[in-house]
Amino acid sequence: MHIVDGALSAPVLIGGAVVATGGLALGLRSLTLEKIPAAGVLSATFFVAALVHVPIGPSSVHLIMNGLAGLVLGWAAFPALFVGLLLQAVFFGFGGVTVLGVNTVAIALPAVMVGLALRPAVSGPDARLAALAGLAAGSLAIVLTALTVALVLWLSGDAFLAAAKLVVIAHLPVAVIEGLVCAAAVTLIHRAKPELFAALAGPATLRPA
Amino acid sequence: MSHILGRSAPTSPGDSARTDGLIQALDPRTRILAAAGFALVAVALTSLWLMLIALVMAGLAMGAARLPAGPTLRRMAMMDGFIVVLLVMLPFTVPGPAAFTVLGWPASWAGLEQAAAIALKANAVALALLSLVGSMDPTTLGHALARLRVPERLVHLLLFTVRYIAVIEAEYHRLRRAMRARGFRPRTNGHTLRSLGYLIGMLLVRALERSERILQAMKCRGFTGRLPLLDTLRFSARDGVFAAGLIPVLAGLLILDFAHVPAA
């Protein structure tokens, strides 16, 4: 869900920009320069994942995968998803300029929250627990994103209240889809390369040359 | 090389001369600042007529950047598709004198006006952004942002992301082709979701392994934690002329809007 320019009120836009700047600062602090190649390539992967469409009956939705981004990237999900949104706005025309802060908060803050809460469960030894945590992370992140979008719409005027409710309802099936896809992705990573969940979390593994 | 972000670096200097418009002759920083300034002014406008002027300005920018009108406007239409539901609901949720009724639901003039305002602003800003900034090479965008004092780590992250989107996308298509060869057809069922989940998990695993090789290769070549930005960005007389033209127009829009000169 991209909010466009012109819909939100000035205080909401400024508030979004301030929170996004804070999140970016925290996210960048965790990114030492040795981790930037990993963060960049993973950020590119999440950009590509957002181009994957899942058919729903005659229509289709594209994946967002911000819950998985939170699990894999932790705080670095903030700058990584910001970069994705910036590129989408600039090169695809999705989103806008003044709403970039709000859009970043709506996508990245839920990612970081579910990432911090559920990362211990997905990186543990129990595969079933990891899959369940993946399911929770994928769907919870979408629900939180939808609630954030609804909140900023509602804060911008009572006229948007109906639209805000519609956003939440429309995202419920998306939350189910994202949860199941995220659970499958976590299951595969857990089996094939569990250290992925710690790649950007721990201290720098490679000392500066 | 086809790049998903549209324009990749021109393969030869002659190439770029053929497709470049007036916008491309400007310094990338000028284009970024112009797009940001335009967006702030467009969003602040309250008069529909002035928003229409802003949309026309964005259209002129598209022409000056020599963007192909068809694909560019199709992108705009896709963006409009996202917001059309929101816009259609507004006349029925904004209180005010009724313009018409649909199945007994009154649609207010105030709501229609607000929906029109959002549509005009959103399209004007998106078109200006695509024309001014979207028409540059993504790597140039990173360098220009660095020169505009965006934090170095964020710029590095952007440059890495831009560099590897095409690589990962090629990898994604390879895996999808392999799935298709094994009879995979996406449908609305659990098998599809599980398969796509495994696909994304696999992409992430390969991405991390690739990033380990990248870091080793970079260290081998003396990477010490900084990427030198080798470019020659320089403001020229053209940028001065552009700014001298744009700033009074944007200021004029704001003043006219503040004074409510046109009856809107």
Side-chain angles (χ1 to χ4, degrees):
Chain A
M1 170 81 200
H2 303 269
I3 304 179
V4 295
D5 272 323
L8 302 181
S9 68
V12 171
L13 292 176
I14 294 167
V18 168
V19 176
T21 309
L24 280 176
L26 279 169
L28 290 175
R29 212 172 52 179
S30 75
L31 268 189
T32 55
L33 283 157
E34 291 76 42
K35 290 181 186 169
I36 281 187
V41 183
L42 292 171
S43 166
T45 312
F46 283 107
F47 186 94
V48 172
L51 304 171
V52 178
H53 281 253
V54 179
I56 302 189
S59 177
S60 72
V61 292
H62 75 83
L63 294 174
I64 303 173
M65 286 287 117
N66 56 338
L68 189 58
L71 290 176
V72 171
L73 293 166
W75 269 106
F78 224 105
L81 294 170
F82 167 79
V83 164
L85 288 169
L86 177 69
L87 294 175
Q88 287 186 352
V90 166
F91 293 102
F92 295 167
F94 299 160
V97 178
T98 60
V99 283
L100 198 51
V102 170
N103 279 334
T104 305
V105 172
I107 298 284
L109 195 58
V112 172
M113 282 163 65
V114 303
L116 293 181
L118 293 167
R119 206 190 230 168
V122 294
S123 48
D126 188 346
R128 186 175 290 268
L129 182 68
L132 279 176
L135 179 75
S139 47
L140 202 57
I142 296 300
V143 170
L144 289 172
T145 293
L147 289 176
T148 311
V149 170
L151 180 70
V152 297
L153 282 173
W154 181 51
L155 285 176
S156 294
D158 287 335
F160 291 116
L161 188 57
K165 287 178 184 162
L166 188 71
V167 164
V168 175
I169 293 167
H171 275 78
L172 290 180
V174 180
V176 173
I177 289 171
E178 291 262 335
L180 292 172
V181 173
C182 186
V186 166
T187 301
L188 183 130
I189 296 167
H190 195 270
R191 210 174 297 164
K193 199 172 175 75
E195 57 273 34
L196 183 58
F197 292 120
L200 289 166
T205 46
L206 287 153
R207 281 179 300 279
Chain B
M1 182 181 95
S2 81
H3 195 286
I4 186 159
L5 295 177
R7 300 192 143 217
S8 55
T11 43
S12 71
D15 240 25
S16 77
R18 214 164 354 99
T19 53
D20 280 3
L22 291 171
I23 295 286
Q24 280 84 347
L26 297 168
D27 186 285
R29 289 167 296 179
T30 309
R31 290 153 70 182
I32 293 171
L33 292 176
F38 179 86
L40 288 176
V41 169
V43 167
L45 294 178
T46 54
S47 151
L48 288 180
W49 290 110
L50 295 177
M51 290 174 208
L52 201 59
I53 293 176
L55 185 60
V56 170
M57 284 172 68
L60 291 176
M62 180 181 81
R66 298 225 194 125
L67 289 185
T72 309
L73 295 178
R74 246 195 314 280
R75 283 207 162 143
M76 308 284 302
M78 276 175 76
M79 190 262 306
D80 290 330
F82 288 138
I83 59 170
V84 73
V85 177
L86 175 78
L87 297 184
V88 167
M89 285 170 81
L90 269 178
F92 302 99
T93 55
V94 176
F100 56 89
T101 56
V102 178
L103 303 173
W105 288 83
S108 69
W109 282 115
L112 281 176
E113 199 178 313
Q114 201 177 341
I118 293 173
L120 283 171
K121 287 179 182 181
N123 283 290
V125 175
L127 191 54
L129 191 60
L130 281 174
S131 308
L132 286 164
V133 188
S135 57
M136 70 176 76
D137 179 63
T139 310
T140 311
L141 171 66
H143 286 206
L145 287 175
R147 301 284 183 243
L148 289 169
R149 317 252 160 152
V150 168
E152 194 180 36
R153 288 178 182 185
L154 189 57
V155 170
H156 288 170
L157 183 64
L158 176 86
L159 290 174
F160 266 102
T161 306
V162 162
R163 166 66 183 84
Y164 284 100
I165 283 175
V167 175
I168 303 288
E169 213 220 350
E171 181 105 17
Y172 163 68
H173 284 304
R174 214 162 24 243
L175 289 170
R176 270 311 275 266
R177 222 168 18 248
M179 288 165 78
R180 205 162 48 236
R182 285 157 181 76
F184 175 73
R185 292 276 178 281
R187 296 202 203 294
T188 312
N189 56 27
H191 175 71
T192 299
L193 297 182
R194 195 170 336 114
S195 305
L196 291 179
Y198 287 160
L199 169 64
I200 287 170
M202 199 64 227
L203 277 178
L204 288 169
V205 167
R206 291 191 180 178
L208 185 72
E209 286 171 350
R210 185 184 293 276
S211 79
E212 286 161 0
R213 295 196 298 276
I214 293 165
L215 184 61
Q216 280 163 4
M218 287 171 65
K219 283 180 173 279
C220 167
R221 286 157 182 80
F223 177 64
T224 55
R226 292 203 68 228
L227 296 176
L229 299 174
L230 305 172
D231 55 32
T232 50
L233 293 186
R234 192 161 292 174
F235 288 116
S236 67
R238 280 198 210 106
D239 297 289
V241 172
F242 180 75
L246 183 66
I247 290 169
V249 171
L250 291 181
L253 281 177
L254 281 179
I255 291 166
L256 284 175
D257 194 63
F258 195 67
H260 273 292
V261 174

